[in-house]
Amino acid sequence: MPEPIPYLDLRAQIQPLRAEIDAAIARTIDHTSFCLGPDVAQFEKDFAKFCGAEHCVAFNSGTSALHVALMLLGVGTGDEVVTTPFTFVATSWAISYVGAKPVYVDIDDTTFNLNPKLIEKAITPRTKAILPVHLYGQPFDVDAIQEICRRHRLPLLEDACQSHGAKWQGKTIGTFGEISCYSFYPGKNLGAFGEGGALVTNNAEFAKRARSLREHGSTVRYYHDEVGFNYRMEGIQGAVLGIKLKHLEKWTRERQRVAKRYAELLAGTPLQLPREAAGAESVWHLYVVRHPLRDELKKYLDANGVGCALHYPLPLHLQKCYASLGHKAGDFPVAEKAASECLSLPIYAELTDAQIQRVAQVVKEFFGK
Ligand SMILES: Cc1ncc(COP(=O)(O)O)c(C=O)c1O
């Protein structure tokens, strides 16, 4: 059998940067700047600039950033937040952490993102924010959702955890809403050597309070203005992310190359291929194809050494943790169908053309059987 193709190959990404990263980590150790510190502060400046935002506040995870973002927007007990059931669960965790209720709205069948046409029906007097996700690297319909937010005077919180540098109508995402949140989990397009996250905003007050909340609710050591958290980014993560950020645009172009090649090679197969919506420029965090025989196809790819994954096999409204919301199968049929048909193929900057061709060949063999 040819060499297996891993679903994700972080070693291939890190190897060429290894000497630079080792030196940066050594400097952090020499300075003993383990929690926040100069490398994190520099990364915050660089990432804010990358997003075209005035402020970036680094966190220990994307989940923490989302939690604090909802606090900054004043969302609390008994409030509702309109969001998507088809995402990683952390989007909803943030809503639960502040004591609010996730109010789900079904997704669009081709982009997997929140369907703006269905949002207004879900808005009630308790709605305090709208929290859509730029899923798989592709921006949601920013214009339509911004318009709804304006009409209902609701803040927009962007979950950009999967979409570093994605563009809507040519502009980098990050400042379309009041706050945007990012994850630097290792497998993300920009990944740390452990956990990491950030929020970006143009609101100086939000940034100031976010800095306090992530550090035990304090701006002066051992004086605590409000109940806060230990949500600080580690110094080593700031050092690693600072180096990796310099390569992100190049890596994104490579991901776009892979997506384009898949589109060419898989055209004509029975798969439904992912597409960019008008106005959206995806950073292709994931390449998600669809087919009703997804489970069989996954088994075939696994058996033939092609790594693949499911994002996501069960929508949030049907998860055990949210049983108390009282949803049942059929409530969000588009998300449910997507969950049963989606399959993520390998996509990363280092994937060679020969590897892409092999993935396509194995897919074709499956359908030719
Ligand atoms: C859409 C989405 N939201 C939130 C998160 C949470 O980020 P983290 O894992 O850094 O807490 C992730 C990533 O895991 C994600 O993909």
Side-chain angles (χ1 to χ4, degrees):
M1 191 162 82
E3 270 286 289
I5 299 168
Y7 174 67
L8 183 66
D9 190 357
L10 287 180
R11 224 173 268 136
Q13 183 203 60
I14 293 162
Q15 195 264 333
L17 309 177
R18 189 57 199 266
E20 203 184 345
I21 289 178
D22 283 355
I25 292 176
R27 272 196 306 277
T28 311
I29 295 170
D30 289 341
H31 296 152
T32 65
S33 49
F34 296 118
C35 304
L36 297 175
D39 288 322
V40 172
Q42 186 58 49
F43 172 68
E44 288 179 331
K45 281 202 190 93
D46 296 343
F47 194 67
K49 192 166 166 217
F50 175 81
C51 297
E54 283 174 34
H55 311 277
C56 167
V57 182
F59 281 83
N60 63 344
S61 74
T63 308
S64 306
L66 283 165
H67 177 194
V68 165
L70 284 176
M71 290 178 70
L72 299 173
L73 296 175
V75 181
T77 310
D79 293 337
E80 293 176 358
V81 177
V82 173
T83 190
T84 169
F86 196 65
T87 174
F88 181 61
V89 69
T91 312
S92 274
W93 285 158
I95 301 168
S96 303
Y97 292 171
V98 296
K101 177 182 161 191
V103 174
Y104 296 122
V105 164
D106 213 346
I107 58 168
D108 177 272
D109 202 33
T110 52
T111 64
F112 301 92
N113 277 324
L114 204 52
N115 184 343
K117 293 194 188 87
L118 305 174
I119 291 177
E120 286 191 291
K121 271 186 272 173
I123 293 174
T124 76
R126 287 173 186 262
T127 309
K128 288 287 152 48
I130 301 197
L131 172 44
V133 178
H134 300 293
L135 198 73
Y136 303 158
Q138 158 138 256
F140 54 75
D141 187 339
V142 173
D143 293 347
I145 295 183
Q146 272 183 327
E147 178 52 31
I148 293 165
C149 287
R150 253 181 243 124
R151 232 184 350 255
H152 294 267
R153 293 172 195 274
L154 288 169
L156 172 61
L157 170 56
E158 299 172 61
D159 182 337
C161 286
Q162 300 188 359
S163 295
H164 319 68
K167 294 193 174 93
W168 175 257
Q169 310 289 9
K171 186 182 166 202
T172 303
I173 60 158
T175 55
F176 289 115
E178 273 67 15
I179 306 171
S180 296
C181 292
Y182 293 83
S183 165
F184 306 120
Y185 185 75
K188 295 292 198 255
N189 288 24
L190 179 61
F193 277 11
E195 306 282 349
L199 69 75
V200 306
T201 181
N202 283 338
N203 183 318
E205 285 305 310
F206 283 171
K208 189 170 166 222
R209 188 167 168 227
R211 288 182 196 288
S212 166
L213 280 168
R214 78 173 166 185
E215 194 158 26
H216 301 287
S218 82
T219 46
V220 178
R221 205 161 197 195
Y222 303 129
Y223 290 84
H224 307 277
D225 304 326
E226 61 179 319
V227 174
F229 310 94
N230 180 357
Y231 280 175
R232 291 176 294 226
M233 177 178 275
E234 294 179 345
I236 284 174
Q237 307 310 341
V240 171
L241 288 167
I243 290 166
K244 283 196 173 188
L245 180 58
K246 291 188 265 175
H247 300 271
L248 184 56
E249 281 176 357
K250 177 186 68 199
W251 289 337
T252 297
R253 283 195 297 277
E254 292 299 319
R255 285 174 179 274
Q256 288 164 340
R257 164 189 62 89
V258 177
K260 192 159 168 264
R261 266 317 257 153
Y262 274 142
E264 287 162 5
L265 294 169
L266 297 172
T269 67
L271 290 179
Q272 183 183 317
L273 303 180
R275 264 183 303 150
E276 287 174 305
E281 186 183 314
S282 178
V283 292
W284 297 101
H285 174 52
L286 304 179
Y287 191 87
V288 181
V289 298
R290 288 178 66 158
H291 195 272
L293 296 178
R294 186 271 314 278
D295 291 337
E296 289 85 343
L297 174 58
K298 181 170 190 313
K299 268 192 213 128
Y300 192 78
L301 291 174
D302 286 339
N304 284 279
V306 174
C308 53
L310 303 185
H311 302 93
Y312 296 89
L314 187 66
L316 302 187
H317 67 286
L318 300 177
Q319 295 281 352
K320 197 169 160 192
C321 61
Y322 282 122
S324 62
L325 295 175
H327 288 297
K328 56 182 186 324
D331 282 359
F332 304 104
V334 183
E336 288 164 33
K337 188 153 184 285
S340 71
E341 294 183 349
C342 64
L343 185 67
S344 309
L345 299 181
I347 187 162
Y348 36 90
E350 300 75 19
L351 208 61
T352 64
D353 203 60
Q355 287 176 309
I356 301 167
Q357 288 187 41
R358 166 93 189 126
V359 175
Q361 182 202 336
V362 177
V363 168
K364 285 180 183 163
E365 272 169 26
F366 170 79
F367 286 110
K369 277 189 304 168

